[in-house]
């Protein structure tokens, strides 16, 4: 009984905590946080700060609330992905920090480089400088090269340092190797470093991340052999899809081969390797010295055998990507794509890392698993799959390949009746990530097709709790910039369905800019002409597509003009009335089309300020009489003509 209570507590309390932190972050975001007298503990405060960061809501106002008020106790600040300036960073000095991640802030005074020393001076108070243990300077912008001197002098407790993706070279690494002997974690991925010999002196190093590093000189194996406390080693490289073809890797020292040789030496001599405490090694993307599958398997087995504490080895996008790797008596986690379970593990491992090539590779594998074996996924696996796909897409929004692969996975998770296996919150997460991708890459037709195929689901579009305003706006923006026929057809259909679900104020906000109504009127005309053209040519299928698109366009305009004088005025000024009467004449056998047109015209007629008298042409009156239209519009229209 007690055991069951404990299990219930461990699963429920974190969920309540998460809901509470999300709500507090929302109140801060909206600037309506009520006053309270107690101070939130660091773990909760850090979680709230992280939610704001992920939503890109870190600015002077939110930083003022989080950092200046004593209601929050923050010891971890991460600014990655948010636009802040030096004056904003000064607010961070109100908190005593253990961890600080800079990101690419908008701060370039008189230079095109981030002045790291000045930024750290502004962000860290005296207590923070003395106790700071984790510093992450990773990012894309250029930074000053003298920062290691500042770090060595002012941050005596530093144990973890990262500067991945910066254009940092060997001189900077040399300063680190000579002055930061306490380092236990170092990430130099995708930098300009070509020689790591200078870090031999970092005897306390336990984690070394060297993803996509071009080592051109120095005895790498000897250098690594001096780092005897290593527990985690990442020597992975960008994905090479043709494992047997010569690549640029051959111009670099083969790190994997060096580790393999030391492993063989240790096995043959009966001694331990220099890395007796190694727990995890990432070799993803390596050609493994161009071995075939059988030799590559023997190669990896030797490395595992020589390291008895090894718990994880990553082999994604290697010759062993789809091979079962087992060692009798060893319970080791192999990250590759050999099974549905391993694919999800691979995506979980890389989803939050700066490894777009591996994230894309894992998403491709997820896609094939969903395409060929969706029915084999359990309910929990589907939920976890969806969560990981969304995390990967959100983390790698700037990588098109990730967005295309991720959106294709979301389509398979949501299509047809499959979507009913997901909760509203999970569906909403799918929509948000899809809309993010659609906004980021408006002209990429394949991505747009993936997005709108996913969202254009009757069940989804009738769920409560969906952000219909954002969905409609992104769909209409897409129509303006992408004229692919299938994309246009889907976005218009979505707009026609969601417009009546929006609040009146949202609909008015959406159509303040006349470009949307102008575009819909243009589509009315285009598809009226297309319908005539396909009818004359006898292309029945294309004719049906034109008719469906026209109906959706008319439905959207009917809803958007309802009780919205601004939209009605835009419709009138765009020449919509003339086109509407042409449609009435052309579709005399389609009552559904005529009803929609008359609905639009009636919305116009109800706006007293519109000058409709000039529309009392004999041809318009004849059309109304010929179709027997005695609707509200007819009465209003004839009133103008009296």
């Amino acid at each position: 009984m007690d055991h069951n209570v404990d299990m219930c507590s461990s699963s429920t309390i974190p969920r309540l905590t998460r809901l509470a932190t999300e709500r507090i972050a929302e109140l801060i975001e909206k600037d309506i946080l009520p006053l309270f007298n107690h101070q939130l503990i660091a773990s909760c405060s850090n979680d709230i700060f992280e939610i704001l960061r992920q939503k890109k809501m870190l600015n002077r106002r939110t930083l003022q609330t989080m950092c200046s008020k004593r209601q929050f106790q923050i010891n971890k600040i991460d600014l990655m992905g948010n636009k802040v300036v030096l004056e904003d960073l000064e607010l961070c000095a109100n908190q005593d920090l253990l961890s600080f991640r800079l990101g690419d802030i908008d701060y370039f005074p008189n230079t095109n480089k981030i002045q790291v020393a000045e930024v750290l001076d502004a962000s860290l108070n005296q207590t923070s400088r003395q106790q700071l243990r984790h510093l992450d300077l990773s990012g894309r912008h250029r930074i000053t090269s003298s920062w290691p001197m500042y770090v060595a002098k002012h941050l005596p407790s530093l144990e973890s340092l990262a500067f991945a993706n910066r254009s940092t070279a060997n001189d900077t690494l040399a300063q680190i190797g000579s002055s930061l002997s306490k380092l236990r974690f170092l990430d130099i991925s995708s930098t300009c470093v070509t020689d790591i010999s200078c870090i031999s002196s970092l005897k306390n190093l336990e984690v070394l991340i060297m993803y996509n590093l071009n080592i051109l000189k120095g005895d790498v194996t000897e250098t690594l052999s001096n780092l005897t406390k290593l527990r985690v080693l990442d020597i992975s490289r960008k994905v090479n899809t043709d494992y047997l073809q010569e690549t640029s890797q051959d111009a670099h020292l083969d790190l994997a081969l060096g580790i393999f040789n030391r492993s063989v030496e240790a096995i043959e001599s009966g001694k331990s390797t220099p890395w007796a405490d190694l727990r995890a090694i990432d070799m993803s993307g390596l050609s493994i010295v161009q071995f075939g599958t059988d030799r590559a398997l023997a190669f990896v087995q030797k490395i595992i055998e020589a390291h008895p504490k090894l718990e994880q080895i990553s082999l994604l996008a290697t010759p062993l990507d789809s091979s079962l790797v087992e060692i009798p008596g060893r319970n080791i986690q192999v990250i590759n794509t050999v099974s549905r379970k391993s694919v999800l593990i691979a995506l979980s491992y890389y989803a939050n890392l700066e490894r777009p090539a591996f994230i894309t590779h894992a998403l491709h594998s997820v896609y094939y698993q969903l395409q060929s074996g969706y029915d084999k996924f359990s309910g929990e696996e589907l939920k976890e799959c969806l969560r990981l796909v969304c995390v990967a897409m959100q983390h790698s929004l700037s990588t098109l390949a990730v967005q295309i692969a991720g959106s294709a996975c979301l389509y398979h998770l949501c299509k047809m009746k499959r979507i009913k296996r997901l909760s509203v919150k999970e569906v909403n997460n799918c929509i948000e990530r899809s809309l993010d991708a659609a906004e980021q890459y408006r002209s990429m037709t394949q991505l747009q097709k993936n997005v709108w195929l996913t969202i254009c689901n009757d069940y989804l579009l009738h769920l409560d709790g969906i952000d219909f305003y954002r969905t409609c706006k992104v769909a209409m923006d897409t129509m303006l910039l992408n004229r692919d026929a299938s994309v246009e057809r889907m976005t218009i259909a979505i707009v026609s369905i969601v417009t009546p679900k929006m609040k009146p104020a949202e609909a008015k906000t959406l159509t303040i800019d006349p470009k949307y109504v102008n575009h819909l009127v243009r589509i009315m005309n285009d598809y009226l002409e297309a319908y005539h053209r396909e009818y004359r040519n006898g292309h029945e299928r294309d004719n049906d597509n034109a008719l469906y698109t026209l109906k959706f366009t008319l439905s959207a305009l009917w809803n958007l003009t309802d009780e919205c004088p601004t939209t009605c005025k835009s419709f009138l000024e765009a020449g919509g009335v003339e086109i509407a009467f042409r449609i009435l004449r052309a579709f005399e056998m389609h009552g559904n089309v005529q009803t929609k047109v008359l609905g639009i015209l009636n919305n116009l007629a109800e706006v007293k300020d519109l000058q409709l008298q000039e529309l009392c042409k004999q041809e318009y009156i004849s059309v109304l009489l010929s179709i027997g239209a005695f609707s509200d519009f007819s009465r209003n229209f004839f009133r103008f003509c009296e």
Side-chain angles (χ1 to χ4, degrees):
M1 180 68 72
D2 290 339
H3 178 66
N4 290 334
V5 170
D6 289 340
M7 287 179 64
C8 179
S9 300
S10 64
S11 63
T12 304
I13 292 177
R15 176 173 173 76
L16 292 174
T17 302
R18 188 181 73 250
L19 291 173
T21 54
E22 288 177 349
R23 177 56 179 161
I24 295 173
E26 181 182 350
L27 294 174
I28 294 172
E29 178 184 343
K30 295 179 178 179
D31 199 20
I32 54 174
L33 181 71
L35 293 175
F36 54 92
N37 296 324
H38 59 279
Q39 186 182 55
L40 292 180
I41 61 174
S43 59
C44 289
S45 300
N46 292 340
D47 287 345
I48 295 167
F49 194 95
E50 175 61 13
I51 291 170
L52 290 171
R53 183 196 73 81
Q54 291 178 358
K55 297 172 79 172
K56 303 189 186 306
M57 289 301 300
L58 293 180
N59 51 46
R60 185 163 190 82
R61 180 180 59 76
T62 55
L63 285 172
Q64 179 83 35
T65 301
M66 289 294 298
C67 297
S68 297
K69 296 182 179 180
R70 304 313 299 176
Q71 296 160 308
F72 301 98
Q73 179 185 349
I74 301 173
N75 58 29
K76 178 181 178 181
I77 280 183
D78 183 351
L79 303 171
M80 181 64 74
N82 287 253
K83 294 183 178 181
V84 295
V85 296
L86 184 63
E87 290 74 16
D88 299 336
L89 290 177
E90 293 171 352
L91 296 169
C92 301
N94 293 315
Q95 297 286 338
D96 299 334
L97 305 180
L98 297 172
S99 175
F100 183 74
R101 187 185 189 196
L102 179 62
D104 282 324
I105 63 169
D106 283 353
Y107 176 55
F108 301 90
N110 304 319
T111 178
N112 62 349
K113 296 181 180 180
I114 298 176
Q115 308 294 308
V116 175
E118 190 171 348
V119 168
L120 294 179
D121 260 339
S123 308
L124 306 176
N125 61 30
Q126 188 59 38
T127 301
S128 295
R129 292 174 200 166
Q130 289 299 312
Q131 69 180 24
L132 196 76
R133 295 207 302 265
H134 310 285
L135 177 62
D136 192 337
L137 301 175
S138 302
R140 301 291 177 180
H141 294 166
R142 297 179 66 190
I143 59 176
T144 51
S145 59
S146 58
W147 60 267
M149 299 172 59
Y150 177 94
V151 170
K153 182 178 180 180
H154 297 285
L155 307 179
S157 301
L158 199 68
E159 298 177 355
S160 171
L161 177 63
F163 51 95
N165 299 305
R166 301 289 190 189
S167 56
T168 307
N170 296 333
D171 291 346
T172 301
L173 189 63
Q175 294 178 57
I176 293 169
S178 63
S179 58
L180 298 177
S181 58
K182 292 183 180 180
L183 283 184
R184 298 169 58 194
F185 176 102
L186 180 62
D187 184 353
I188 56 177
S189 300
S190 298
T191 60
C192 298
V193 170
T194 59
D195 183 0
I196 65 168
S197 302
C198 57
I199 66 171
S200 295
S201 56
L202 301 180
K203 303 295 184 181
N204 293 310
L205 207 61
E206 296 180 12
V207 179
L208 179 58
I209 311 297
M210 299 192 298
Y211 164 70
N212 205 40
L213 211 60
N214 294 340
I215 306 297
L216 299 174
K217 52 186 176 181
D219 190 336
V220 183
T221 306
E222 188 62 33
T223 299
L224 294 179
S225 296
N226 289 320
L227 308 178
T228 56
K229 292 185 178 181
L230 276 183
R231 296 162 62 89
V232 177
L233 178 62
D234 185 344
I235 56 174
S236 59
R237 291 185 56 81
K238 284 185 179 179
V239 177
N240 170 32
T241 54
D242 190 346
Y243 310 114
L244 301 179
Q245 188 174 21
E246 185 174 349
T247 72
S248 59
Q249 295 187 59
D250 303 320
H252 312 127
L253 296 175
D254 196 320
L255 304 183
L257 184 58
I259 295 171
F260 170 73
N261 289 336
R262 289 298 168 96
S263 300
V264 172
E265 291 172 8
I267 292 172
E268 292 178 347
S269 64
K271 300 178 181 179
S272 62
T273 71
W275 315 285
D277 291 326
L278 194 66
R279 300 294 202 279
I281 182 169
D282 192 335
M283 299 167 59
S284 294
L286 294 181
S287 64
I288 311 185
V289 288
Q290 299 182 3
F291 288 174
T293 302
D294 292 340
R295 293 186 63 197
L297 182 59
F299 177 94
V300 168
Q301 288 173 334
K302 287 289 185 184
I303 292 177
I304 296 174
E305 183 182 348
H307 298 90
K309 294 184 180 180
L310 195 67
E311 300 170 356
Q312 181 188 85
I313 185 167
S314 303
L315 300 170
L316 203 69
T318 71
L320 300 178
D321 189 25
S322 56
S323 298
L324 184 63
V325 180
E326 291 182 319
I327 303 294
R330 295 288 296 275
N331 183 21
I332 187 165
Q333 184 182 67
V334 179
I335 294 180
N336 61 4
T337 62
V338 69
S339 67
R340 183 173 67 259
K341 180 180 178 180
S342 63
V343 167
L344 293 180
I345 290 173
L347 185 57
S348 175
Y349 182 73
Y350 286 112
N352 278 308
L353 297 178
E354 296 295 332
R355 304 287 188 271
F358 298 149
I359 295 172
T360 304
H361 186 88
L363 286 171
H364 285 160
S365 298
V366 169
Y367 173 82
Y368 293 128
Q369 290 283 346
L370 289 168
Q371 186 182 50
S372 61
Y374 172 86
D375 293 334
K376 297 177 182 178
F377 280 76
S378 67
E380 289 305 311
E381 284 178 326
L382 279 180
K383 293 177 183 295
E384 179 66 2
C385 180
L386 182 143
R387 185 188 71 82
L388 291 172
V389 171
C390 289
V391 168
M393 292 180 69
Q394 186 172 32
H395 183 79
S396 301
L397 185 57
S398 60
T399 304
L400 176 59
V402 170
Q403 300 305 309
I404 290 179
S407 60
C409 292
L410 292 185
Y411 167 69
H412 270 295
L413 286 164
C414 295
K415 74 175 185 178
M416 300 169 62
K417 295 182 179 180
R418 293 179 179 182
I419 197 171
K420 294 184 178 181
R421 297 179 66 180
L422 307 175
S423 68
V424 174
K425 186 172 183 178
E426 289 164 338
V427 172
N428 208 13
N429 198 13
C430 287
I431 296 176
E432 290 300 310
R433 300 293 73 79
S434 296
L435 295 179
D436 287 346
E439 286 181 321
Q440 186 81 1
Y441 302 99
R442 296 198 185 281
S443 60
M444 182 54 61
T445 298
Q446 184 56 58
L447 177 63
Q448 294 292 338
K449 286 182 179 180
N450 290 352
V451 166
W452 302 115
L453 279 170
T454 300
I455 296 178
C456 199
N457 181 303
D458 189 62
Y459 176 80
L460 180 158
L461 293 172
H462 288 87
L463 284 175
D464 292 330
I466 304 300
D467 188 345
F468 292 117
Y469 172 77
R470 187 188 180 208
T471 303
C472 188
K473 187 177 188 310
V474 176
M476 294 184 76
D477 285 334
T478 297
M479 281 191 288
L480 292 174
L481 296 173
N482 193 308
R483 292 305 302 272
D484 177 83
S486 60
V487 171
E488 189 170 64
R489 190 158 50 247
M490 287 186 287
T491 51
I492 291 173
I494 288 168
V495 169
S496 70
I497 294 171
V498 303
T499 43
K501 299 179 180 298
M502 292 191 298
K503 299 174 183 177
E506 291 177 334
K508 291 178 182 178
T509 301
L510 187 64
T511 54
I512 285 176
D513 191 334
K515 66 182 180 183
Y516 297 122
V517 176
N518 292 345
H519 188 71
L520 289 172
V521 171
R522 191 179 310 122
I523 292 175
M524 281 174 58
N525 187 62
D526 290 348
Y527 279 91
L528 172 62
E529 295 180 355
Y531 181 81
H532 282 311
R533 184 171 57 253
E534 302 305 336
Y535 180 79
R536 288 193 300 268
N537 295 333
H539 298 163
E540 293 184 5
R541 182 175 179 181
D542 292 337
N543 198 41
D544 287 343
N545 287 335
L547 179 58
Y548 292 147
T549 305
L550 180 60
K551 286 182 178 180
F552 285 132
T553 306
L554 295 173
S555 294
L557 283 166
W558 190 1
N559 291 316
L560 290 171
T561 55
D562 186 27
E563 298 183 4
C564 189
T566 303
T567 309
C568 292
K569 182 179 179 182
S570 297
F571 182 86
L572 177 64
E573 293 176 348
V577 172
E578 179 184 353
I579 299 170
F581 275 98
R582 287 169 52 202
I583 292 174
L584 285 175
R585 285 196 298 266
F587 289 86
E588 59 183 355
M589 302 302 293
H590 295 268
N592 184 261
V593 171
Q594 292 188 335
T595 298
K596 296 176 189 295
V597 173
L598 291 172
I600 297 170
L601 295 174
N602 185 60
N603 288 339
L604 268 69
E606 290 178 346
V607 181
K608 296 180 180 179
D609 294 337
L610 287 184
Q611 301 299 317
L612 294 176
Q613 288 87 347
E614 62 185 80
L615 302 179
C616 297
K617 299 178 181 180
Q618 182 61 42
E619 58 182 297
Y620 293 166
I621 297 174
S622 299
V623 170
L624 293 175
L625 293 174
S626 68
I627 63 174
F630 295 101
S631 63
D632 291 338
F633 166 69
S634 302
R635 288 187 286 272
N636 288 327
F637 186 84
F638 288 127
R639 175 171 54 80
F640 280 109
C641 298
E642 290 177 353

